[in-house]
Amino acid sequence: GDSVTQMEGPVTLSEEACLTINCTYTATGYPSLFWYVQYPGEGLQLLLKATKADDKGSNKGFEATYRKETTSFHLEKGSVQVSDSAVYFCALSDKGGSEKLVFGKGMKLTVNP
Amino acid sequence: SAVISQKPSRDICQRGTSLTIQCQVDSQVTMMFWYRQQPGQSLTLIATANQGSEATYESGFVIDKFPISRPNLTFSTLTVSNMSPEDSSIYLCSVHLSDRAYEQYFGPGTRLTVT
């Protein structure tokens, strides 16, 4: 079945450091790919998405590019802030997001001032 | 986007009892989903609830343990039956909006502790 493998952490960074969270997937079709974020004490929020190969999703300074050849969707940010401290989940949906989401295990990021 | 509320936000229950979790959406949606997030783990889909039809359960989840109702396009309930400590989790509902392709919106979750 479909699956998502991502870095698990936890990871601690200093403010303004670069961030990369690796995510690779296995799917039978052509999935849509997502990064969700869960801030402390809050619900799960969609951070960014990409629906086809070579698409780049971006939001709040985060970026991720849908790489079909490497089946990857790595999340990057050039300069993290304390407010980026959260748990990040990579996920896929095999039917454009209208069907179920398959999540990676999540990675907790802590950014220190 | 959609505003989703869940009740209760948290509960502590005794082994062997049942708890019903409510999910309310501020707009009409066709598809609603129930997920479980066990402590320190990722989210796992329990079932998909479409209005007017029986819920579709994922492997490892059964209707007798997690009965679901979907009486209309804005509301659903999930019951966790005959609870054991292993059911201690966060339970989340989510919805897909037909006019926002590729996006699902999540409720704040219900944190359940079974003693």
Side-chain angles (χ1 to χ4, degrees), chain A:
Chain A
D2 297 345
S3 66
V4 174
T5 302
Q6 66 171 108
M7 284 174 58
E8 295 185 27
V11 170
T12 301
L13 296 175
S14 298
E15 207 165 23
E16 300 184 3
C18 295
L19 171 70
T20 298
I21 305 176
N22 290 335
C23 172
T24 58
Y25 67 89
T26 302
T28 54
Y30 298 95
S32 295
L33 301 174
F34 308 86
W35 278 99
Y36 280 84
V37 60
Q38 192 171 37
Y39 296 104
E42 298 185 18
L44 204 62
Q45 303 174 24
L46 177 64
L47 179 60
L48 54 83
K49 65 180 186 290
T51 59
K52 61 183 187 295
D54 300 325
D55 268 3
K56 177 185 285 188
S58 61
N59 186 26
K60 299 182 179 182
F62 290 90
E63 293 183 340
T65 302
Y66 190 143
R67 301 289 188 196
K68 182 181 174 184
E69 62 276 14
T70 55
T71 61
S72 65
F73 192 55
H74 305 323
L75 183 68
E76 298 177 327
K77 187 173 186 180
S79 176
V80 295
Q81 305 300 312
V82 173
S83 57
D84 294 325
S85 298
V87 180
Y88 293 83
F89 293 92
C90 185
L92 69 79
S93 172
D94 220 358
K95 292 187 179 181
S98 61
E99 296 284 341
K100 68 178 183 181
L101 289 168
V102 176
F103 286 87
K105 292 189 174 182
M107 195 206 80
K108 182 177 181 180
L109 170 67
T110 300
V111 180
N112 293 323

Side-chain angles (χ1 to χ4, degrees), chain A residues 34 49 96 98-100 104, chain B residues 31 35 42 58 102-104:
Chain A
F34 308 86
K49 65 180 186 290
S98 61
E99 296 284 341
K100 68 178 183 181
Chain B
M31 302 184 76
Y35 290 83
S42 186
E58 296 297 303
Y102 315 121
E103 295 184 19
Q104 283 190 24

Side-chain angles (χ1 to χ4, degrees), chain B residues 6-52:
Chain B
Q6 287 186 232
K7 290 181 181 180
S9 59
R10 60 178 61 225
D11 208 342
I12 301 173
C13 300
Q14 290 192 341
R15 181 195 300 260
T17 63
S18 298
L19 176 72
T20 296
I21 302 168
Q22 300 179 5
C23 179
Q24 180 77 50
V25 189
D26 68 343
S27 57
Q28 294 185 338
V29 296
T30 303
M31 302 184 76
M32 296 180 75
F33 306 86
W34 286 98
Y35 290 83
R36 180 175 74 180
Q37 185 178 17
Q38 294 179 300
Q41 302 296 315
S42 186
L43 287 81
T44 302
L45 181 67
I46 298 171
T48 302
N50 292 333
Q51 195 270 337

Side-chain angles (χ1 to χ4, degrees), chain B residues 53-64:
Chain B
S53 62
E54 294 290 323
T56 303
Y57 289 83
E58 296 297 303
S59 175
F61 297 96
V62 295
I63 187 172
D64 290 346

